Amino acid sequence: GREDEITFTPNMSDRGTGDFTMHFRASDEAGEWSVRETAEFTYDPDAETEVNLYPEDAVVEENETSEIEVEVENLGEVPLVDSVLEINGSVTGETPEFEVDAESNTTEVIVFDAEDEFGEYEETLTLNSDLHTAETTFDLIIEASEDTQEDVDQDIEDLQDTVSDVEDRFESLANRAGEERVQDFEDDYNQMQDEFESIQASVDDGNYHEVKGDISDVETMAENVGSQ
C-alpha cells in the first residue's frame, strides 16, 4: 500500500517538564481510518542544548568546487532535530542548508564554489534549529590557478624593479641628508624589503594564496619610503 512520511512539531508551549504520550492515526482518501498508534517522549524545556562543531579546514583551487566534512558533537540532552548547517563568509556567501542527523558525532559534507578569489579566508559555520544554536570558524584556502600564478609572478617582477628604485633613492639620500632623516628612510626601507622577501619566499614555495594583498601593500610602502 501507499506510505507517506509526515513530520510535525507538537505545541508544548503550555506544558511543563514530563513524560508524554501522543496518540495519532491517519485516514485515506476514502475516509477510512488507520489503527490508532502511540508515541512516548520526554519534554524538558530547560534541558541543556550544548553543541560543538568541528569543521575541516578547506583547501580548494581557484574556480573549482570543494567539500568539507563537519563533525557535529551533541553534548546536551536534546536531539538535533530539524537542525541545519550553513556557511557564511566573505567568499562562500550564502550556501544551501544541510540537515544534521539527530544523533551525536555525525558528519555532514558541505560543498561550495571557489570564485576568482585566491587567498586565505576565515569562514563562519553555524548550526541552527528551534532549540540549538552553535557557531565556529574554519580556514578556507583558495589556491591560485595557473593563470593567476603567472599574473602574480609578473607583479613580483615589477615589484622587484620598484624595490630597486627605492634602494637607489636611499643610497642617494644617504650622501646628502641628515643622520635622522637617513635613519627614518632606512627603517622604512628595511620594513619594505622584509615584506618583499616574505612574498618572494611564499611564491618560491608555491604558496601563492599567502601573498594576496601583500604586493599592493609593498607598493604602497615603496611610495611612502622617505616621504616624511
Side-chain angles (χ1 to χ4, degrees):
R2 175 179 171 181
E3 293 184 3
D4 290 315
E5 182 176 325
I6 300 175
T7 301
F8 68 95
T9 302
N11 182 1
M12 303 295 290
S13 59
D14 59 348
R15 303 289 182 177
T17 301
D19 296 325
F20 296 87
T21 301
M22 179 177 292
H23 302 268
F24 54 92
R25 59 180 180 159
S27 66
D28 59 20
E29 295 177 353
E32 296 292 330
W33 286 92
S34 68
V35 176
R36 187 184 301 272
E37 299 287 348
T38 61
E40 296 181 351
F41 64 95
T42 299
Y43 174 65
D44 182 359
D46 298 319
E48 295 183 5
T49 57
E50 181 180 357
V51 175
N52 289 331
L53 303 175
Y54 300 102
E56 294 180 318
D57 290 337
V59 179
V60 58
E61 184 172 324
E62 193 175 21
N63 301 318
E64 297 293 335
T65 298
S66 177
E67 62 182 31
I68 66 170
E69 288 190 350
V70 181
E71 180 181 355
V72 182
E73 181 182 36
N74 185 7
L75 300 177
E77 302 167 353
V78 181
L80 293 167
V81 178
D82 297 330
S83 294
V84 294
L85 286 172
E86 297 178 84
I87 294 179
N88 290 285
S90 58
V91 180
T92 53
E94 295 185 1
T95 61
E97 297 180 346
F98 292 82
E99 294 184 2
V100 179
D101 192 286
E103 300 178 358
S104 320
N105 299 314
T106 60
T107 58
E108 281 292 335
V109 174
I110 294 182
V111 180
F112 58 91
D113 293 325
E115 301 291 339
D116 298 319
E117 293 286 354
F118 82 101
E120 295 180 293
Y121 304 90
E122 184 177 79
E123 304 295 276
T124 300
L125 177 69
T126 58
L127 177 143
N128 287 296
S129 72
D130 290 341
L131 298 174
H132 297 86
T133 300
E135 182 175 289
T136 190
T137 59
F138 67 95
D139 292 329
L140 170 64
I141 295 176
I142 301 181
E143 297 180 333
S145 64
E146 290 186 5
D147 289 342
T148 298
Q149 291 182 26
E150 292 178 0
D151 291 340
V152 172
D153 288 339
Q154 182 59 57
D155 289 342
I156 291 177
E157 287 185 19
D158 296 340
L159 188 59
Q160 175 65 76
D161 294 337
T162 300
V163 171
S164 297
D165 290 342
V166 175
E167 184 176 9
D168 293 340
R169 282 164 44 203
F170 172 59
E171 292 176 353
S172 175
L173 179 68
N175 295 325
R176 54 186 174 80
E179 183 176 346
E180 182 176 352
R181 176 79 187 283
V182 170
Q183 185 61 55
D184 290 341
F185 194 112
E186 184 175 10
D187 292 341
D188 291 344
Y189 172 78
N190 287 338
Q191 182 180 2
M192 178 200 65
Q193 182 67 29
D194 289 343
E195 292 293 331
F196 176 75
E197 291 176 356
S198 177
I199 291 173
Q200 188 66 66
S202 293
V203 169
D204 289 344
D205 292 337
N207 297 323
Y208 284 79
H209 60 274
E210 294 180 353
V211 306
K212 173 139 187 176
D214 292 347
I215 293 177
S216 60
D217 289 345
V218 173
E219 289 173 341
T220 300
M221 294 171 67
E223 293 174 0
N224 294 330
V225 169
S227 61
Q228 302 299 322

